[in-house]
Amino acid sequence: MIDLPTFIAGLPKVELHVHHVGSASPRIVAELAARHEGRSPVPADPEALARYFEFRDFAHFIEIYLSVVDLVRDDTDVWLLTHEVARELARQQVRYAELTVTPFSHVHRGIPAPAFCEAIEDARRRAEADFGIVLRWCFDIPGEAGLPAAEETLRIALDQRPDGLISFGLGGPEIGVPRPQFKPYFDQARAAGLRSVPHAGETTGPQTVWDALRDLGAERIGHGISAAQDPELLAHLAEHRIPLEVCPTSNLRTRAVPSLEEHPLKQLVDAGVPVSINSDDPPMFGTTLNDEYAVAARLLGLDAAGVAELARAAVDAAFLPDPDKRRLTAEIDGYLGSAAG
Ligand SMILES: O=c1[nH]cnc2c1ncn2[C@@H]1O[C@H](CO)[C@@H](O)[C@H]1O
C-alpha cells in the first residue's frame, strides 16, 4: 500500500469550492504584477507575496483579495488565469471543478461582460482539450458591493448565459451583509435554472446558514462551518442532504477558526452532514486541494478508503448529471482497488 499523500495525489477528485482569482498561482500573480508594476501593492517576488498573503482577519483577506482582482485588466489576463487554474487542478487529478467566478468585479473594472464571458468560455474549452478537466462556473455576488452587484451579476448571468454556467453564489463578508436582501436575485437565478450556492456560516453564526437555506434556496452551502454550533441545523442539513463545502486551511488562514485542531469538520461529519473538502483560494492560503484532503484525513482519522469516501462525497454533491457521477465514482473505486491491491 502506498503512503497517504501519494494516494491522495493520484486520487481522482472533484473540486466544488474554489475561487477564480483566488487560485492565481504565484507565477501568474507575478506576471500580472510585473505587467502593472508601480500601480499595484501586490508584490511580484514569491517570498514577499507569501508575506503579503498573511491575513490579520477576514476583512483584511477581502482587502488583499480585491488588490489581486485589480491586477486582472483585460480578457487576455482572464484567459491566462483561467487556463492556468485548470492546469493546476488537473495536475492534482481533479477531473471536474465548479469554479466561483465574480464577473461583477471584472466588469466593474472595465472588462465588458461579453469579452469576460468569452475569455472564460474559451479557456474552459481549451483546458478540457489540453488537460482533460471539465470546468463549470458559479457566478457569485461579491457581498460587500451590495444590491447593485447582485443586480449586475444576475444581469450578466442571464444575458450572457455562458455554456459553463451552472450556479449562482454569494461571497465576500457576511458581517453587515444579511443574506435575506438577496432573495429576489436568487429567485430569478433559480427560475432561470441556476443552482443556489451561497456562502454562509463562514464568519458568522448558524442563523446566516438558516437564512441562506430559507431565503436563498441554498442547495449547498459555501463553508457553513458555524452550523456545528446548532444541533437543529445539523439535523436539518443531514436530513435534507444539504452539503457543506468545507475548506479547513482557508478557515485557519482567515482566522475563522483559531487552529485546525479546533476546526469543526469532525463534528459536522459525525452529525451526518454531507461535506465536500475544498481549497477555496489555494495559493493565497498556502495550500492545495491535495493538502486539504491530507488535513481532512488527519482531522477525521482516515485511511485511504476513508479518503476515497470523501472524494465520492464530493462527486455526490456536485451539480453533475447522474451518469457522470457514476463514471467518476467508478473511477475512484477503481483507483482505490488498484492502490490497495
Ligand atoms: O473564503 C471566501 N469567502 C468569501 N468570499 C471569498 C472567499 N474567497 C474568495 N472570495 C471572493 O471574495 C470576493 C469579494 O467578495 C468575491 O469575488 C468572492 O468570490
Side-chain angles (χ1 to χ4, degrees), residues 78-98:
V78 172
W79 192 95
L80 251 179
L81 168 65
T82 312
H83 193 255
E84 199 62 23
V85 169
R87 183 201 307 276
E88 171 55 23
L89 288 168
R91 187 190 67 76
Q92 297 181 68
Q93 306 304 322
V94 174
R95 302 286 190 263
Y96 168 82
E98 296 178 14

Side-chain angles (χ1 to χ4, degrees), residues 99-278:
L99 200 58
T100 297
V101 169
T102 315
F104 171 83
S105 297
H106 303 291
V107 171
H108 191 64
R109 286 166 176 76
I111 306 178
F116 177 81
C117 290
E118 250 169 65
I120 57 171
E121 281 292 290
D122 192 68
R124 177 177 73 78
R125 295 199 177 94
R126 281 288 291 279
E128 193 165 334
D130 292 348
F131 315 126
I133 184 172
V134 173
L135 294 183
R136 293 291 179 263
W137 317 122
C138 169
F139 277 7
D140 77 331
I141 303 164
E144 74 282 358
L147 296 184
E151 181 73 50
E152 180 78 3
T153 304
L154 179 70
R155 205 187 54 70
I156 297 167
L158 301 188
D159 289 358
Q160 304 298 324
R161 202 64 201 251
D163 289 345
L165 180 64
I166 52 166
S167 61
F168 198 67
L170 170 58
E174 293 173 42
I175 296 167
V177 187
R179 312 285 100 170
Q181 63 183 320
F182 298 102
K183 178 175 170 23
Y185 306 96
F186 275 79
D187 283 349
Q188 288 179 67
R190 290 162 65 214
L194 298 179
R195 317 295 292 265
S196 169
V197 205
H199 285 58
E202 177 185 20
T203 50
T204 63
Q207 184 56 46
T208 312
V209 179
W210 283 119
D211 291 346
L213 294 169
R214 288 178 179 159
D215 293 318
L216 309 184
E219 295 168 77
R220 284 196 325 242
I221 301 277
H223 297 281
I225 53 170
S226 69
Q229 300 161 21
D230 181 342
E232 201 189 318
L233 178 55
L234 288 174
H236 181 91
L237 295 169
E239 185 191 339
H240 296 277
R241 310 304 300 155
I242 295 164
L244 304 183
E245 303 159 354
V246 179
C247 315
T249 301
S250 161
N251 299 144
L252 176 72
R253 294 289 305 272
T254 65
R255 303 181 192 261
V257 299
S259 69
L260 283 176
E261 285 58 42
E262 289 158 272
H263 194 284
L265 174 64
K266 188 163 190 317
Q267 267 168 279
L268 301 169
V269 169
D270 288 349
V273 176
V275 303
S276 63
I277 298 300
N278 310 275

